[in-house]
Amino acid sequence: MALLQQLRSNSLTVIFLLLSAYCTAVLAFTPSKSFMRTRTLIKMTNTRNSKGKPTVAIIGGGIAGLSCAQHLQSAYHPTVFDTGRIRPGGRCSSRYPKDKPKGKKGNQDSVLSQYTIDHAAQILSIPRGNEFGKFRMQVDRWVDAGVLKNFPKDSVVEIVDANRNNNNNKKGGSKEGGNKKENQEQVQPKRNTESDVQIRSLNSNDMYYGTDGMGSIPLNILNSSPDVKIHQDVWISPGNGVKFVGTENSPEWSVQTNGKKFGTY
């Protein structure tokens, strides 16, 4: 509350609250209508770097944090603090064949080291609605840049038990009362055959995958953000990791973790 009161009284300090892309049950990256809410925290002050630009501390290197840094770099000098050990990306990060496990020499497991593995999001989809028009334009730019591709037709499917669906839709005895013997027969497990399985296509024209894993998205943002500085494998506590150390006329924020100070912004 004290921090909020300081922010309200300080016209030079701005907090941007954004929502990083989240994963659905199928690990799909789909923006929601609450796309402008998250703990990604940006502190802008009148502290300036050697180039004369005000400095900005961005806590969180997911898609939201990296996008903020990308858009702010023309007028500010952004520094991103991210918890990722090797590279930023949040839920859109990927493990690549040459990545080494923490605390071990050489590559990771011999099988895993042959493939690109997405940590979380595997599908990027665009919801319907005019409010997602700008997001669609951004996805189109990623497609044109070769960052994303459409899933081939019928390549994203849902596999369901046909017997379970038939039992749920079957008329007759209810769960309570009715023919007890008939109800017991309905719930007996059966060995699945090809006829017992139903495959439903979930594909749409608005489903995409990263050409080199979903980590292609944050890497593309970084490549177009030459003035953005990133600290990796850093956890900034939301409680005491960021402190207001300036004054009303000269607002400054200190960023620290585990006793290590990263400076003022």
Side-chain angles (χ1 to χ4, degrees):
M1 181 60 70
L3 175 61
L4 183 58
Q5 291 175 349
Q6 288 178 345
L7 296 178
R8 286 176 176 172
S9 63
N10 189 342
S11 60
L12 296 178
T13 303
V14 183
I15 291 184
F16 288 86
L17 298 177
L18 304 170
L19 176 65
S20 298
Y22 65 89
C23 299
T24 65
V26 292
L27 296 180
F29 166 25
T30 306
S32 70
K33 291 185 178 180
S34 58
F35 192 64
M36 301 304 291
R37 291 201 307 271
T38 195
R39 67 169 296 274
T40 299
L41 186 62
I42 302 177
K43 302 292 188 182
M44 297 201 302
T45 75
N46 61 359
T47 304
R48 297 176 180 270
N49 68 343
S50 58
K51 296 182 180 180
K53 291 182 179 181
T55 57
V56 182
I58 304 176
I59 312 303
I63 298 301
L66 294 177
S67 297
C68 288
Q70 180 186 40
H71 288 287
L72 291 174
Q73 65 179 335
S74 60
Y76 299 88
H77 184 72
T79 299
V80 178
F81 296 89
D82 184 62
T83 58
R85 182 172 59 89
I86 300 177
R87 64 184 66 87
R91 290 173 178 163
C92 276
S93 58
S94 301
R95 182 181 297 275
Y96 294 106
K98 293 184 179 180
D99 291 345
K100 295 181 179 180
K102 187 174 184 179
K104 295 182 180 181
K105 296 181 179 180
N107 269 6
Q108 50 190 338
D109 181 86
S110 58
V111 176
L112 297 178
S113 65
Q114 303 175 37
Y115 305 97
T116 296
I117 301 175
D118 292 326
H119 284 181
Q122 300 171 356
I123 301 173
L124 185 149
S125 60
I126 305 176
R128 297 180 180 179
N130 296 331
E131 64 269 33
F132 297 104
K134 290 185 178 180
F135 181 70
R136 181 180 296 276
M137 292 173 61
Q138 176 60 67
V139 171
D140 290 340
R141 288 193 289 268
W142 282 330
V143 172
D144 293 339
V147 177
L148 296 176
K149 287 185 178 180
N150 271 110
F151 273 94
K153 183 179 180 181
D154 298 330
S155 61
V156 182
V157 299
E158 178 185 25
I159 302 176
V160 297
D161 185 350
N163 291 318
R164 178 177 299 177
N165 286 345
N166 290 336
N167 289 338
N168 290 339
N169 296 329
K170 187 174 182 180
K171 296 180 180 180
S174 60
K175 292 183 179 180
E176 297 181 1
N179 190 321
K180 183 176 181 180
K181 183 177 180 180
E182 181 181 354
N183 291 338
Q184 290 177 343
E185 290 177 352
Q186 289 182 13
V187 298
Q188 291 300 316
K190 295 182 180 180
R191 176 176 293 181
N192 279 343
T193 63
E194 291 185 1
S195 60
D196 294 328
V197 175
Q198 290 182 350
I199 299 179
R200 301 173 181 172
S201 175
L202 300 178
N203 268 65
S204 72
N205 293 330
D206 295 329
M207 299 182 74
Y208 304 84
Y209 66 94
T211 54
D212 190 20
M214 294 302 283
S216 301
I217 298 177
L219 290 178
N220 176 263
I221 298 175
L222 285 176
N223 290 336
S224 60
S225 308
D227 294 331
V228 175
K229 181 179 180 180
I230 297 184
H231 289 287
Q232 291 297 149
D233 201 9
V234 175
W235 164 253
I236 304 298
S237 170
N240 56 15
V242 180
K243 294 183 178 180
F244 184 76
V245 296
T247 64
E248 182 176 355
N249 295 326
S250 181
E252 292 185 358
W253 297 82
S254 67
V255 178
Q256 60 185 9
T257 180
N258 296 328
K260 180 180 179 180
K261 295 184 178 181
F262 291 94
T264 57
Y265 299 84

